[in-house]
Amino acid sequence: MEHLSLFENDPDADKAQRIGNLISGYLRQTLTPDEHTELEDWVADNDSNMRMFEDMTDAGQIQEGINWVKATDSAIMLKKLKKQMRFKRPRFRFTFLQYAV
């Protein structure tokens, strides 16, 4: 499984992304034996990791998420997001001095 990092300079975010990739591979049943061992080691590391893994792999919670996505009207959601985001066009200011040089 390829590991891509969105946070080049943040080792915690990088580790979280790695674990997310491993859990995703676990759900899709595509982990290599080494990746499976890495995930097992992370789960066994502490109770918090174990709870997180159980929550993220719980069939009921996954189905709830799937149902929510199916019920969501993507066009309406996109409209809401665009309203929340305010894009400003860059303003070009040219002064006489710029042309005088």
Side-chain angles (χ1 to χ4, degrees):
M1 177 185 299
E2 187 176 330
H3 174 64
L4 300 173
S5 177
L6 298 174
F7 306 97
E8 295 297 326
N9 298 322
D10 187 346
D12 291 334
D14 194 49
K15 177 71 174 176
Q17 186 173 355
R18 175 67 180 158
I19 297 304
N21 289 338
L22 291 173
I23 292 172
S24 176
Y26 173 84
L27 291 170
R28 291 188 323 257
Q29 299 178 348
T30 59
L31 291 181
T32 66
D34 287 341
E35 290 170 331
H36 201 276
T37 300
E38 183 181 352
L39 181 59
E40 285 178 341
D41 290 345
W42 177 80
V43 169
D45 191 41
N46 61 56
D47 290 341
S48 177
N49 291 356
M50 185 177 294
R51 282 190 302 276
M52 183 182 296
F53 178 78
E54 289 172 354
D55 288 345
M56 294 181 76
T57 58
D58 178 66
Q61 287 192 8
I62 292 170
Q63 189 59 51
E64 282 181 31
I66 291 169
N67 293 342
W68 180 84
V69 169
K70 285 181 179 179
T72 302
D73 184 335
S74 58
I76 291 172
M77 292 301 288
L78 183 58
K79 225 177 211 182
K80 286 181 181 180
L81 284 172
K82 284 183 176 180
K83 278 186 177 180
Q84 292 174 359
M85 299 169 68
R86 299 203 194 306
F87 294 103
K88 293 183 180 180
R89 293 180 185 235
R91 293 184 180 178
F92 295 102
R93 295 182 183 183
F94 295 103
T95 63
F96 176 77
L97 293 177
Q98 288 175 325
Y99 293 107
V101 177

